[in-house]
Amino acid sequence: MAGDTPRVAVVSGASSGIGAAVAEEFLRRGHTVVGLSRRGNPDLAGRPGYHDRRADLRDGEAVRAALTSAAGVTADGIDAVVLNAGVSPDPVDLVKADWETVADTYETNVRTALNLLQATAGPLKQNGGGSLTFVGASLANGYRPERYAYAASKAAMTTLMRACSVEFADDGVVANEVRPGPVATAMTMAGLDGEVNEQIIRAINAGFGTDWLKSPRTVAEWIVTIAAFPSNGPTGQVFNYSRKVL
């Protein structure tokens, strides 16, 4: 955006974890942020520049209504969209996986991303370009059969990201994915309530032989940096911060 108009970012799943950290990082870098989630984020709602909107992102009409209610913020366009909302069901033996869980996971993770990109594509183009940054997972490689439901949905999101990189290439919109690997959130650490400080994370990593555990704040810095790529920057790429192969 030209002049002194703040850059605008839209973040889904902003109520907690990675999404909340991404929203906070955008604010720290001077962006105006529209945070979308079902529960909302009371902690950020009082911050200057943050606009909290509650919506079930599986409902396309609800997504559009939430963004319409923030039209005063997005009137001059949107610069960055982070597609983070999602769910991860409990692991289960592949031969015991029920289709209802698989379908619900796909519905929640993929449909929310599709709804959000469709609702924000126009404002991204209007602003002369911007970015779509998907929060993916290394499990999308399919090597953990007990996580099939989650992995399949994340693999579909990678395909969606690459489709966006082609669809919007002439509009100056780049689309990329971040695969952060293990992150200290409630989704990956059962029973976690609140933020784990860096000292505890370092202690865990000292004996964490399989992969690097990160804080949401660390991951948010990567995501926001990638979301700031210029229109002629990398697009259609997967940025993997896990030891797992792509």
Side-chain angles (χ1 to χ4, degrees):
M1 293 182 186
D4 296 327
T5 305
R7 294 174 65 82
V8 176
V10 175
V11 181
S12 70
S15 60
S16 62
I18 293 174
V22 168
E24 191 160 10
E25 181 64 17
F26 271 123
L27 289 173
R28 191 184 70 79
R29 299 192 192 192
H31 288 63
T32 295
V33 179
V34 178
L36 303 174
S37 65
R38 283 183 292 177
R39 300 194 309 271
N41 190 322
D43 293 334
L44 288 179
R47 294 272 296 272
Y50 185 78
H51 301 266
D52 201 39
R53 295 294 184 271
R54 297 189 182 193
D56 184 345
L57 301 183
R58 295 171 297 183
D59 182 340
E61 288 296 331
V63 173
R64 286 187 287 273
L67 290 173
T68 298
S69 73
V73 178
T74 61
D76 292 326
I78 294 171
D79 298 277
V81 178
V82 175
L83 304 101
N84 165 72
V87 66
S88 176
D90 292 334
V92 63
D93 289 346
L94 183 60
V95 295
K96 297 179 180 178
D98 63 273
W99 176 246
E100 288 74 15
T101 299
V102 175
D104 182 69
T105 305
Y106 194 97
E107 170 91 358
T108 300
N109 295 353
V110 185
R111 188 171 185 176
T112 58
L114 182 61
N115 284 340
L116 185 56
L117 79 86
Q118 289 177 340
T120 56
L124 280 168
K125 296 177 186 179
Q126 169 192 336
N127 196 35
S131 65
L132 293 160
T133 307
F134 292 71
V135 179
S138 56
L139 289 173
N141 60 27
Y143 294 148
R144 292 282 300 278
E146 73 278 11
R147 301 298 304 280
Y148 167 70
Y150 180 68
S153 71
K154 287 298 187 178
M157 286 182 65
T158 301
T159 302
L160 183 59
M161 175 275 290
R162 289 190 168 131
C164 289
S165 73
V166 176
E167 177 73 15
F168 305 122
D170 294 335
D171 300 303
V173 177
V174 296
N176 292 291
E177 177 182 324
V178 175
R179 293 184 179 180
V183 185
T185 67
M187 183 177 287
T188 54
M189 299 180 70
L192 178 64
D193 182 17
E195 186 175 345
V196 179
N197 66 45
E198 293 290 344
Q199 184 176 1
I200 293 175
I201 289 177
R202 285 195 296 271
I204 293 173
N205 277 324
F208 203 59
T210 56
D211 209 338
W212 171 28
L213 181 68
K214 306 98 180 167
S215 69
R217 185 174 304 174
T218 295
V219 174
E221 291 173 356
W222 299 334
I223 290 171
V224 175
T225 296
I226 288 169
F229 284 164
S231 295
N232 63 345
T235 190
Q237 303 302 308
V238 174
F239 293 86
N240 186 42
Y241 294 89
S242 169
R243 289 172 62 90
K244 297 181 178 68
V245 297
L246 291 176

